Amino acid sequence: RPARARGRAPVHGDAEVPPLTLDAAGTGAFKLMNDGTALWYNVTVTGLSGPLTAAHFHGPAPEGTNASVIFGITDTFQGDHAEGMWEGLTGEQLQWLLDGMIYANIHTVAHPGGEIRGQVEGLQLPVEEAETDANKAIIRRLHEEVWNQRKLAVVDEIVSPTFVRHSPPNPDIRGPEEL
């Protein structure tokens, strides 16, 4: 069964462009599903100036920049809460999500351009559990055979030539030779 990659979005008025000072707020939780072609979302809002009139994902845009609507979620709201699935993500939309270039925007009559907004952040591509187990096995071998038993030949077998270990303040270690 595929793992799910999680993301988040604090939703507030000062993220709007231009920023709004309001009591309204919200939270968003997100998961990329399966092979990254669907996004599960769970959004809750509170303290809006009036009834919600529309809710969308917009992009691509970094924080502080507006963009066009790319997926509507208005119909999934029941009161102050929405949960649903954005299916059929394109490769381009997936990349925007991974790069933090999509935001959720909540609209009201008083603020038709958006009352509160939150950038979707922290998403990663889902990883198959089998791949995770295989990676754990490689790390076990590295510790047991290379570090504990000093079998240095194993390094060439399990470490990619493009391997880079970042360990500030030390210099990067690149490839099996430097490891």
Side-chain angles (χ1 to χ4, degrees):
R1 184 177 76 120
R4 296 178 175 129
R6 301 170 194 263
R8 66 191 177 333
V11 185
H12 42 85
D14 61 0
E16 285 291 345
V17 179
L20 300 172
T21 304
L22 305 165
D23 291 332
T27 59
F30 308 93
K31 295 178 188 173
L32 283 170
M33 305 298 287
N34 302 330
D35 59 358
T37 60
L39 178 75
W40 171 85
Y41 59 88
N42 185 322
V43 178
T44 302
V45 298
T46 60
L48 294 175
S49 63
L52 176 144
T53 57
H56 311 99
F57 287 110
H58 294 247
E63 195 168 338
T65 305
N66 287 327
S68 298
V69 171
I70 53 176
F71 187 78
I73 60 173
T74 308
D75 293 344
T76 62
F77 264 89
Q78 294 183 3
D80 292 339
H81 179 255
E83 182 175 358
M85 190 76 67
W86 174 1
E87 296 183 281
L89 289 173
T90 66
E92 186 175 48
Q93 291 167 336
L94 173 60
Q95 193 60 55
W96 294 341
L97 282 163
L98 294 171
D99 293 342
M101 299 291 284
I102 290 182
Y103 61 93
N105 204 6
I106 311 302
H107 307 261
T108 62
V109 170
H111 301 282
E115 182 161 324
I116 57 176
R117 159 184 169 159
Q119 209 76 20
V120 178
E121 300 172 331
L123 288 171
Q124 298 176 2
L125 283 174
V127 176
E128 295 290 332
E129 288 178 20
E131 291 177 26
T132 301
D133 290 342
N135 288 339
K136 288 179 184 177
I138 290 169
I139 296 300
R140 261 194 301 284
R141 283 191 71 198
L142 184 66
H143 283 275
E144 292 171 9
E145 295 180 42
V146 177
W147 301 128
N148 295 340
Q149 299 171 16
R150 306 271 187 237
K151 294 181 181 178
L152 299 180
V154 173
V155 172
D156 290 329
E157 181 184 336
I158 64 174
V159 176
S160 166
T162 60
F163 168 84
V164 178
R165 179 174 180 240
H166 304 285
S167 181
N170 301 318
D172 288 348
I173 296 173
R174 297 180 182 279
E177 297 80 25
E178 291 184 16
L179 182 65

